């Protein structure tokens, strides 16, 4: 309902998605997502939309034009609360996914570091007179060299990310 109202009001004002996006200081893809029902604008953006489209927020949310009464305001606030809860759940799910991914990166970094330490650079004893062995040995050494230098930063960056994506009580 909201997505259709945004699209119809935008078209009735003769605005393209790009023009509406510029007026709202968002990217065109954001307007497209609203119109396709893939996301919804937050409360502040709904107010900005209503100003740009010269229509009340209640019309955007699907209510008829009637004098604002306390019941109407209550209905609008309930709809906005539902929308904000949906967005909060989505954001929480994204944060949990990112936290899990960062934990996997930490574990993988430690496992690879231990594996390389246990292997003890086996390529050092290889016969490099064969060109293919020389290329493979040099490649193995390069990968090990880069990983050993990058691993601490990767590990610490992942730990910082895990702390920053931790559950927030707010």
């Amino acid at each position: 309902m909201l997505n259709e109202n945004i699209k119809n009001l935008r078209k009735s004002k003769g605005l393209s998605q790009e023009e509406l996006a510029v007026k709202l200081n968002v990217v065109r893809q954001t307007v497209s997502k609203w119109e396709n029902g893939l996301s919804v604008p937050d409360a502040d953006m709904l107010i900005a939309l209503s100003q740009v489209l010269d229509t009340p927020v209640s019309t955007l949310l699907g209510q008829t034009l009637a004098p604002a009464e306390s019941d109407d305001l209550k209905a609008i606030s309930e709809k906005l609360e539902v929308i904000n809860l949906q967005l909060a759940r989505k954001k929480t799910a994204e944060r949990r996914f990112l936290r899990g991914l960062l934990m996997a990166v930490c574990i993988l970094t430690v496992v690879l570091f231990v594996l390389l330490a246990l292997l003890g650079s086996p390529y050092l004893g290889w016969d490099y007179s064969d060109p293919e062995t020389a290329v493979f040995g040099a490649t193995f050494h390069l990968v090990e060299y880069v990983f050993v230098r990058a691993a601490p930063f990767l590990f610490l960056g992942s730990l910082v990310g895990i702390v920053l994506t931790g559950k927030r009580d707010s």
Side-chain angles (χ1 to χ4, degrees):
M1 180 183 338
L2 174 64
N3 58 337
E4 295 169 5
N5 289 344
I6 293 172
K7 186 176 188 176
N8 292 335
L9 286 166
R10 174 186 59 80
K11 287 184 176 182
S12 72
K13 297 292 181 185
L15 296 172
S16 67
Q17 287 183 344
E18 182 70 33
E19 292 169 328
L20 181 59
V22 168
K23 290 182 181 224
L24 295 171
N25 293 323
V26 297
V27 293
R28 184 201 57 78
Q29 289 82 356
T30 301
V31 175
S32 176
K33 285 181 181 180
W34 293 340
E35 291 183 359
N36 290 318
L38 299 175
S39 68
V40 293
D42 63 8
D44 293 331
M45 193 54 67
L46 275 174
I47 293 169
L49 261 170
S50 72
Q51 292 171 347
V52 169
L53 297 174
D54 196 26
T55 186
V57 174
S58 59
T59 302
L60 286 172
L61 294 174
Q63 296 182 351
T64 58
L65 290 174
E69 297 176 9
S70 62
D71 291 337
D72 291 339
L73 293 176
K74 184 177 179 183
I76 291 171
S77 67
E78 288 172 357
K79 286 183 179 183
L80 287 174
E81 185 176 344
V82 168
I83 291 169
N84 283 332
L85 284 174
Q86 290 171 344
L87 290 175
R89 285 187 196 125
K90 182 180 177 186
K91 194 173 190 178
T92 300
E94 289 172 352
R95 192 174 63 234
R96 285 182 183 162
F97 173 77
L98 181 60
R99 184 178 172 95
L101 184 65
L102 290 170
M103 285 181 183
V105 167
C106 278
I107 292 168
L108 185 63
T109 303
V110 170
V111 167
L112 287 175
F113 204 83
V114 168
L115 183 65
L116 283 175
L118 291 176
L119 286 175
S121 304
Y123 56 85
L124 294 177
W126 293 351
D127 178 20
Y128 284 93
S129 60
D130 178 29
E132 289 179 8
T133 305
V135 169
F136 185 71
T139 304
F140 194 149
H141 176 69
L142 177 66
V143 169
E144 180 183 57
Y145 179 83
V146 169
F147 179 77
V148 166
R149 274 137 187 86
F153 297 107
L154 185 64
F155 183 75
L156 289 175
S158 296
L159 284 179
V160 168
I162 289 169
V163 170
L164 292 177
T165 58
K167 185 174 180 178
R168 297 182 186 133
D169 296 326
S170 43

